[in-house]
Amino acid sequence: MTGSVEDAHRTPGQLAALLIDASTRAIGAAGGHSGGVYLRSGTPGLLRLAVLAGLPGPLFRPWWRMHVDRPFPVADAYRLGVQVILPNATETMRRYPQFAAGLPFQFGSLYVPIVGGTTTYGVLTVLCPSAPDATKLLHRRDRMVRLADDLGAALRRLDDGGRPSVAWDGEPECVRPPGVRPPAGRAGGFAWDPVTDVVTADERLPALLGVPADEFATSVETLVDAVAPAERQRVLAALRETAAGRPPPLPLYVRSEDGALRLVELWSPYAAPVPPGTPSGAHPVRGFVVDPGPGAAADAAADLLPEGVLCLDRLGLILYANPRAGQLLRRSRTQLLSRPLWEGVPWLNQPAFEDHLRSALLSPEPVRFHLRRAGPEGGESDAASYDGAWLDVCVYPGPDVLTCTFRPANQLAEAAADLTSGPEEGTGPVRTSVPAAPSMAPLYRPIVLAIALTEAVTARQVAAVVMREVLPAFGGRHLAIYLLQDRHLYLALESGFPTGFLTPFEGVGLDAQLPGVETLTAGRPLFFDSMEDLAAAYPGIPLDADEGARAFLPLIASGRPVGSCILGFDRPRGFSTEERTVLTALAGLIANAMEKAQRYESEAALARGLQQALLPRRLSAHPQVETTGRYLPGTQGMEVGGDWYDVVEAGDGLALVIGDVQGHGVQAAATMGQLRSAVRAFALGDRPPDEVMSGTNHLLIDLDPGQFASCCYIRLDPASGLARVARAGHPPPLLRHPDGHTDVLDLPGGVVLGVDPHAHYPVTELLIEQGAVLALYTDGLVERPGTDIDDGITALRIALSKAGAPASRRPLSGVADRLTATARHAADRPDDIALLLATRRTTPDNQH
């Protein structure tokens, strides 16, 4: 299943054709070597790689899924609607260290959001050679923008405006950009109209196939007979798939009647759907046929080389293998040719090899390394099947073809041993294994996870990072994290397990005979290649599936037990020594992050408790004034403690106060408590507003907590409505008049408290009419990352005008609830929020 456009007039293949066409055009326009499209999926907040052009999909599986909140260029382009230009590896590391840690190679990249109307559908991306700076890529970016705009308009036409009908929930389509320069050799092109079954060809194709031009095929059947009579059904099926609007298949490598190798590549030139009424399977098809021609002589020469030679296209398809390559890789040439590399040589599916191959695909420099060889049976890449031999491998990049050479590395070691062995070592050469060239691949996963965990401060955020980074990297489907509390394990996070399966394990003690417990008490990881192995080691243990591997990892930080982590797989599998090492390292990172999060949350709970204790339990009441307040703590770690509000009796009037201490945490809460007490003392003495501000300013400077604070103080006469206001760097109050019109009171003020001992705080007088609503607030209610605070104040002014309209008869508490509703329901509040509302009334009842 590819795209999920489901409509009588649309097919998934038509969506794929649009995306493939845009991807391949973008690669050409931006001068890149590969690219693709990320599209929104049916899962909110998740992008999926829909098309990957010019690169083998299996090699880039960790990047198939992308959460929109990850600090990656694709996510930023989608979430923020911005174009991202990364000219080289240095700039990529500076701006996106997590992304650079996973692909630390010399290449540039461009990312352009795909927007149709008001909807962002995905991101168009191209990978290209490095450039010294972003200015060198601006003209390429502009071409991509035009293509992205066209694609966005086309996707909007496909979208029915309801649920995400233009979305992607399957694996990516991996294609070689059609129409790019074909491999060296003789080539001829053709076009086929399925409606009329007419084939037209250029002047080169009849000559390539050895058919007189005047006798050349006019139908698809005769064309296929001329190209590959022995494989006519395979070629016909590929032609019909392309005509049906499905994505073009991989290049076909077929044999002519005399056994010569030929390449056939197909694509549909029209990305848009065909006109209504056109029969299904009627997309025009174009293609070319390539005969290696003179290249065959080069192949014959390579057949005689003493080292193994393997040629791959950019999708990982094996185009050529000489006999020596077959011997060294333990595979026959029949098992190699025209197969994806990981299918032709299964034991090459090793992280180190994949890492070097990605480097050759993305960077221009050749790559040389040593690789441990599998046993004679050519089995899976697990340590038990290795025969101890090493291969010296070189990969030479090319625009269309990668050339790999192999030779026995132990021959080098034997030569060195001959030179160094003494008489006492025997007469024969000493065989020594050549150590593998150090690959950074095993380190990428811990590095990426470590970078991501630095931004996670709560247990929930740590769990989200683990879910995002660990499961996709290892192909896992199940994850559970248990944390230790009072010598019992409690479930903190789970994903993928059947509903209720983990319930019996909740709160188990450390004496339980369970792998999740014993991995922690013994301090060592436990690996089970299958459920059968798990059941044999723990008879009677409940199992959630008939098959599948499991890894149980201890979470230990600084020698202290934190909990355990369970990683599950759908199928049986082995765990290589390298994977066990990496998973154990990841468990240590998770444990340290969880311990830090628990400590952080304990401190945050203390700060919140202190904050709640310092905020007023009730506001001073007055028969002619109704007041109400709201406080919302921040949700990101210790984002709590700085904001406060108060209502204090001041002679025969009321003092309305709101303030915000810079910083967060216990120190900010303590400073806030001191300032609140000072302001209350000054207010109870009915001191003028400017003296209240000046006295509080001197107190904060004398305390020297290393913090400053903003404040707004209003002394209100309930009988006359006269208000005298002083501000110290605080956002301006809002005043909604009885008729619903709302003003921003941009009153003069002084600098924030705690900075200048000689600061002056001017006093402004204004009249508060009966029925008017005065709103004091802190910046957490109006400030949003990436937006101007004035825009937030304007939005609050409009909301207050609507929420407090006279016709609504809404009580003041209801107005406060409405003004804070969006913030109250937000999953993440980067700052705490305080709001104080006051209104004059004529009756003494309904006090709040």
Side-chain angles (χ1 to χ4, degrees):
M1 180 66 177
T2 55
S4 60
V5 179
E6 296 169 1
D7 186 275
H9 303 292
R10 304 193 297 269
T11 69
Q14 290 170 353
L15 173 61
L18 275 171
L19 303 180
I20 291 170
D21 182 70
S23 299
T24 54
R25 288 174 183 265
I27 292 171
H33 48 63
S34 53
V37 172
Y38 279 88
L39 208 63
R40 64 183 185 176
S41 70
T43 303
L46 181 69
L47 301 177
R48 286 186 179 271
L49 183 60
V51 171
L52 182 61
L55 291 173
L59 210 57
F60 292 85
R61 185 180 294 273
W63 296 272
W64 284 9
R65 295 156 48 98
M66 183 69 59
H67 288 264
V68 298
D69 59 348
R70 295 185 75 182
F72 275 55
V74 168
D76 276 0
Y78 180 85
R79 186 182 69 257
L80 303 177
V82 298
Q83 301 152 14
V84 179
I85 303 177
L86 302 174
N88 49 51
T90 301
E91 182 68 5
T92 303
M93 176 59 78
R94 185 184 70 82
R95 295 177 57 186
Y96 297 98
Q98 285 190 52
F99 178 58
L103 294 171
F105 311 123
Q106 290 296 330
F107 67 95
S109 53
L110 302 95
Y111 308 84
V112 177
I114 302 166
V115 181
T118 59
T119 302
T120 302
Y121 291 101
V123 177
L124 183 64
T125 178
V126 167
L127 309 183
C128 56
S130 294
D133 55 64
T135 59
K136 303 296 184 182
L137 301 181
L138 291 179
H139 66 289
R140 304 181 185 182
R141 185 273 317 269
D142 294 341
R143 297 171 189 165
M144 284 181 62
V145 169
R146 291 191 289 271
L147 289 169
D149 289 345
D150 291 344
L151 178 58
L155 294 180
R156 186 184 181 190
R157 289 193 293 270
L158 292 182
D159 202 342
D160 60 13
R163 58 179 177 77
S165 58
V166 173
W168 198 272
D169 286 300
E171 296 185 354
E173 294 290 346
C174 302
V175 297
R176 185 155 69 89
V180 299
R181 179 168 53 88
R186 296 182 299 148
F190 66 89
W192 172 47
D193 183 349
V195 177
T196 61
D197 193 31
V198 171
V199 173
T200 55
D202 61 23
E203 68 281 358
R204 295 171 296 175
L205 186 58
L208 183 150
L209 299 177
V211 178
D214 56 352
E215 299 178 11
F216 187 72
T218 57
S219 71
V220 71
E221 296 275 353
T222 51
L223 171 68
V224 171
D225 285 339
V227 172
E231 301 181 68
R232 66 189 316 274
Q233 293 304 320
R234 180 168 164 239
V235 179
L236 276 173
L239 283 160
R240 288 166 181 157
E241 286 281 299
T242 308
R246 299 184 179 91
L250 296 177
L252 300 175
Y253 290 91
V254 298
R255 297 286 175 179
S256 64
E257 191 169 15
D258 60 2
L261 182 68
R262 284 175 176 164
L263 178 147
V264 179
E265 184 155 2
L266 310 170
W267 72 95
S268 175
Y270 301 111
V274 295
T278 303
S280 60
H283 285 258
V285 175
R286 289 184 182 175
F288 58 74
V289 180
V290 177
D291 191 317
D299 288 352
D303 283 351
L304 303 177
L305 291 176
E307 60 183 12
V309 178
L310 201 71
C311 296
L312 316 171
D313 73 2
R314 292 194 62 84
L315 295 186
L317 204 68
I318 301 174
L319 307 179
Y320 167 78
N322 71 351
R324 183 58 171 156
Q327 294 172 4
L328 292 174
L329 298 176
R330 308 294 181 124
R331 309 290 285 177
S332 69
R333 294 180 79 180
T334 304
Q335 292 173 308
L336 295 173
L337 290 176
S338 301
R339 296 175 183 269
L341 181 63
W342 26 92
E343 179 184 320
V345 192
W347 61 265
L348 281 180
N349 185 24
Q350 303 177 40
F353 181 78
E354 292 179 350
D355 173 39
H356 292 302
L357 191 55
R358 277 192 289 263
S359 175
L361 285 162
L362 298 177
S363 305
E365 299 299 323
V367 182
R368 183 173 184 178
F369 55 98
H370 291 102
L371 185 71
R372 200 175 184 188
R373 185 174 62 189
E377 57 281 329
E380 297 297 325
S381 60
D382 116 33
S385 66
Y386 285 77
D387 63 359
W390 292 86
L391 297 176
D392 181 27
V393 185
C394 287
V395 183
Y396 300 92
D400 301 308
V401 175
L402 276 69
T403 301
C404 307
T405 63
F406 303 85
R407 58 176 175 166
N410 60 340
Q411 290 178 358
L412 304 176
E414 289 169 4
D418 283 336
L419 295 176
T420 59
S421 60
E424 71 279 4
E425 296 176 354
T427 56
V430 178
R431 272 184 172 258
T432 60
S433 293
V434 178
S439 169
M440 290 295 292
L443 298 177
Y444 293 153
R445 288 161 183 161
I447 289 173
V448 170
L449 184 63
I451 294 172
L453 287 175
T454 59
E455 303 173 3
V457 294
T458 68
R460 180 172 62 87
Q461 291 170 344
V462 171
V465 169
V466 173
M467 187 81 68
R468 260 192 338 247
E469 304 295 344
V470 176
L471 279 183
F474 289 89
R477 294 293 181 268
H478 315 282
L479 179 71
I481 292 179
Y482 285 85
L483 297 181
L484 182 65
Q485 183 178 349
D486 299 328
R487 294 187 59 80
H488 290 77
L489 288 173
Y490 295 92
L491 185 64
L493 165 75
E494 68 91 11
S495 175
F497 288 93
T499 303
F501 172 75
L502 297 176
T503 302
F505 304 104
E506 180 70 4
V508 297
L510 294 185
D511 57 349
Q513 300 298 309
L514 295 169
V517 174
E518 293 190 2
T519 188
L520 181 61
T521 56
R524 60 183 178 84
L526 302 175
F527 299 93
F528 300 95
D529 295 354
S530 66
M531 284 297 192
E532 183 179 349
D533 292 348
L534 177 58
Y538 293 87
I541 187 174
L543 303 177
D544 61 306
D546 295 332
E547 58 180 16
R550 291 290 182 270
F552 296 85
L553 309 172
L555 302 182
I556 299 174
S558 304
R560 294 187 298 274
V562 175
S564 58
C565 176
I566 305 171
L567 188 62
F569 302 84
D570 286 342
R571 298 187 179 92
R573 55 158 294 171
F575 295 92
S576 67
T577 302
E578 183 180 66
E579 282 185 310
R580 293 173 186 236
T581 302
V582 171
L583 283 169
T584 304
L586 292 178
L589 292 174
I590 296 167
N592 280 287
M594 277 295 183
E595 183 190 45
K596 182 187 72 173
Q598 288 176 316
R599 184 171 61 249
Y600 213 79
E601 288 178 337
S602 296
E603 294 176 1
L606 174 62
R608 289 192 178 96
L610 180 59
Q611 172 84 5
Q612 293 299 329
L614 293 173
L615 286 172
R617 292 184 178 274
R618 67 178 184 85
L619 301 179
S620 297
H622 192 283
Q624 291 176 279
V625 178
E626 177 186 359
T627 59
T628 189
R630 295 290 183 271
Y631 173 76
L632 300 174
T635 60
Q636 297 182 2
M638 293 281 287
E639 304 298 315
V640 64
D643 292 14
W644 92 93
Y645 61 86
D646 208 350
V647 178
V648 188
E649 293 180 5
D652 57 355
L654 286 180
L656 310 173
V657 189
I658 196 162
D660 182 0
V661 176
Q662 169 263 339
H664 302 92
V666 176
Q667 180 61 50
T671 302
M672 178 271 286
Q674 292 171 311
L675 293 186
R676 176 174 175 261
S677 297
V679 172
R680 284 186 68 86
F682 288 129
L684 288 170
D686 201 12
R687 304 283 291 276
D690 56 335
E691 292 186 19
V692 175
M693 289 290 96
S694 295
T696 308
N697 179 47
H698 283 105
L699 173 66
L700 185 57
I701 292 174
D702 291 341
L703 291 172
D704 191 22
Q707 295 170 305
F708 58 83
S710 67
C711 185
C712 183
Y713 181 93
I714 300 178
R715 201 281 188 187
L716 174 65
D717 182 353
S720 65
L722 179 65
R724 304 184 71 227
V725 186
R727 281 201 307 144
H730 201 80
L734 303 180
L735 180 62
R736 186 190 62 77
H737 300 279
D739 63 358
H741 173 69
T742 303
D743 291 324
V744 178
L745 303 178
D746 192 9
L747 310 174
V751 298
V752 292
L753 305 175
V755 174
D756 181 7
H758 305 292
H760 174 63
Y761 299 96
V763 176
T764 304
E765 293 187 352
L766 56 97
L767 185 65
I768 309 295
E769 304 168 88
Q770 291 185 349
V773 176
L774 184 68
L776 307 179
Y777 53 93
T778 56
D779 56 7
L781 187 60
V782 294
E783 202 167 31
R784 296 289 180 272
T787 62
D788 194 295
I789 190 173
D790 290 338
D791 294 336
I793 294 174
T794 300
L796 181 62
R797 177 183 63 78
I798 296 171
L800 176 61
S801 180
K802 294 179 179 179
S808 69
R809 301 183 182 276
R810 182 177 288 111
L812 200 61
S813 59
V815 175
D817 288 338
R818 184 161 183 175
L819 295 180
T820 57
T822 300
R824 191 168 58 251
H825 293 100
D828 289 310
R829 290 189 295 272
D831 199 0
D832 44 350
I833 292 169
L835 172 70
L836 177 63
L837 301 180
T839 184
R840 291 179 63 215
R841 58 188 177 188
T842 56
T843 57
D845 55 346
N846 299 323
Q847 299 290 332
H848 289 267

